[in-house]
Amino acid sequence: MITPIVNLHFTPAIYQKLPQKTSITLKPQLAADTVSFGNAKRDLMSLSDNTIFQQVKDAVKEENLIGEGGEGGVYKIGDSGYCVKKSSYVSLEDLDSLKKSFTRNVTEQDKINHIVAKYANSVAIMPIIQGTPVISRFMSDDEINNISEQICSMPKSAFKAFLYQLNDAYKKDMMMDCNGANVIVDPKNKKITVIDFCRNSLEEAASHLAYMYASLVHEYTTVQQHNIIAEKVMNAGLEEFRPGVIPCCHFDNFGFSDLIRSFDDLDLFTSKKYTKLLRELTYKIRDLKSQELRGINVTNELNFEIKKVQAIMRQLVKY
C-alpha cells in the first residue's frame, strides 16, 4: 500500500517490534468499514476527474485519518468505501498542483498495492480493505489477542490465498513489507490481505511461507497461537505439493527451510530432532514432486511423506 523509502534486506524473524514509523499503521476502527453501494449511490471511480479531486481534497483532514506513518497518512473519503494515501512530502496546499497528474491507468505494481488511481506518485486512491491489522499501536492488548485468535480460526483457504498474494507480487518484482501492520485480517469474510508491497530492488530471494508466519505473529502472540499459526502456514505450503497439484512456484520460493528455522528459533518443538526431520521430509517431498512432474507415478510416496510432516506439526496443537 505504501512504498518504503529504503527496501532493506529482510531475513524473516518472528519476534517483531511494534510497527515502525516508516509503516502506515491503521486504526482498528477500520474493521467497521464495509463497502456497500446502493442503487442511488455511484462508485467514486465512476465520477468525473474534477469531482474525484474535490472529494480527495475534502478527505485530507484530521477527522478522516484512519492510518498514519512516517511516510504519510491514509484518509477515509466520506462513505465512498475508498481512502486516499497522501505522502508526508505533499502538503494540503500542494494538492492543486497535482490535479493534472491524475490517472486511472495504474501499473501492475500499483494494482498489487490495491491502488485504483493516483496523482503522480504522491497521492493514491484505494478501496478500504475490510478488517483489522494483525497489530498496530492503536490496538489494545485485548484487541491484539482477539485478532490472533481470529487468525488461528481462519480456514486453509485464507492461508492459501495469502500465499498466492505473495507469489503473484513476487512474479511482478514486488516483495511484501513484512510487518503485522501491513496485513489485514477479515474474520467475517475469512480473508487475510496484504496491503503493502515494495519493489524488490535488491533482488531478494522469495521465502513466502516464512514471510507469512513472520507477519502473523509478534511479541504478544501466545505459545499456543504460535503453534496453531505455524501448523496452518506449513499446511498451506504442503497443499501445493499434493499429488496432481502443480505448485504455484518453484520449491525454493516457498521458503520451507526459513520457516522451519523460525520454529527452531522459537523452540516450538521439545527437541531439535523434529525440525531436522522436517527439513529432510520437505526436501524429500520436493524430490518426489519433481518426479511426478516428469510423469513418474509417486502418488503413494508423496501422500505418505506429506502425512509425516502433518503428523509432526500436529504435535504442536494436540494439547
Side-chain angles (χ1 to χ4, degrees), residues 163-164 167 171 208 240 245-250 254:
L163 169 63
Y164 278 39
N167 187 56
K171 289 190 292 187
H208 300 327
E240 294 296 298
V245 176
I246 298 177
C248 64
C249 60
H250 189 277
F254 283 92

Side-chain angles (χ1 to χ4, degrees), residues 1-162:
M1 182 173 175
I2 195 164
T3 304
I5 297 173
V6 179
N7 185 15
L8 298 175
H9 177 73
F10 174 76
T11 299
I14 300 305
Y15 286 110
Q16 300 170 335
K17 297 180 180 179
L18 287 173
Q20 302 294 312
K21 290 184 178 180
T22 52
S23 296
I24 286 291
T25 304
L26 300 177
K27 296 181 180 179
Q29 293 95 304
L30 194 59
D33 289 314
T34 304
V35 180
S36 178
F37 301 105
N39 293 331
K41 188 174 183 60
R42 296 176 61 189
D43 187 292
L44 175 70
M45 299 313 299
S46 71
L47 304 178
S48 69
D49 292 2
N50 286 335
T51 302
I52 292 175
F53 179 76
Q54 190 56 54
Q55 291 202 28
V56 166
K57 193 171 181 180
D58 291 343
V60 184
K61 298 175 183 176
E62 184 65 28
E63 59 265 31
N64 296 324
L65 187 68
I66 59 174
E68 60 183 336
E71 295 180 355
V74 179
Y75 303 83
K76 184 179 178 181
I77 304 176
D79 61 353
S80 67
Y82 288 87
C83 60
V84 57
K85 180 188 71 180
K86 183 186 74 63
S87 168
S88 57
Y89 299 106
V90 176
S91 67
L92 187 58
E93 293 73 24
D94 293 330
L95 288 179
D96 286 329
S97 66
L98 293 173
K99 185 176 181 179
K100 291 183 179 180
S101 67
F102 180 72
T103 181
R104 302 167 196 254
N105 296 320
V106 295
T107 66
E108 287 300 311
Q109 289 74 27
D110 288 330
K111 291 176 183 177
I112 287 171
N113 279 327
H114 312 285
I115 295 171
V116 296
K118 62 183 181 180
Y119 297 87
N121 289 316
S122 303
V123 179
I125 299 173
M126 299 154 289
I128 291 175
I129 306 297
Q130 181 175 321
T132 303
V134 171
I135 188 171
S136 86
R137 66 173 177 271
F138 296 109
M139 297 166 68
S140 67
D141 290 347
D142 285 343
E143 288 170 328
I144 292 170
N145 182 67
N146 179 60
I147 286 299
S148 291
E149 287 297 310
Q150 295 290 348
I151 294 170
C152 290
S153 66
M154 283 282 178
K156 63 182 180 182
S157 59
F159 288 86
K160 178 179 178 179
F162 188 2

Side-chain angles (χ1 to χ4, degrees), residues 170-273:
Y170 188 75
K171 289 190 292 187
K172 296 179 173 67
D173 201 30
M174 301 283 279
M175 293 286 285
M176 177 188 181
D177 185 356
C178 194
N179 189 308
N182 296 327
V183 179
I184 303 298
V185 180
D186 178 4
K188 179 180 178 182
N189 295 302
K190 307 300 181 184
K191 291 183 178 180
I192 301 173
T193 305
V194 182
I195 60 172
D196 197 346
F197 291 92
C198 52
R199 287 278 188 177
N200 188 16
S201 57
L202 296 180
E203 299 183 356
E204 294 182 55
S207 192
H208 300 327
L209 298 177
Y211 271 59
M212 288 170 65
Y213 191 47
S215 68
L216 293 174
V217 298
H218 43 73
E219 60 185 312
Y220 301 114
T221 307
T222 67
V223 172
Q224 185 64 3
Q225 289 167 349
H226 266 296
N227 294 346
I228 293 172
I229 295 171
E231 184 193 32
K232 286 179 176 286
V233 171
M234 175 63 82
N235 283 338
L238 292 177
E239 285 295 315
E240 294 296 298
F241 289 85
R242 288 194 174 279
V245 176
I246 298 177
C248 64
C249 60
H250 189 277
F251 175 85
D252 292 345
N253 289 359
F254 283 92
F256 280 104
S257 292
D258 286 336
L259 178 65
I260 295 167
R261 188 179 302 115
S262 297
F263 301 162
D264 251 344
D265 293 341
L266 287 165
D267 291 323
L268 294 191
F269 292 95
T270 55
S271 171
K272 298 292 184 183
K273 70 179 182 181

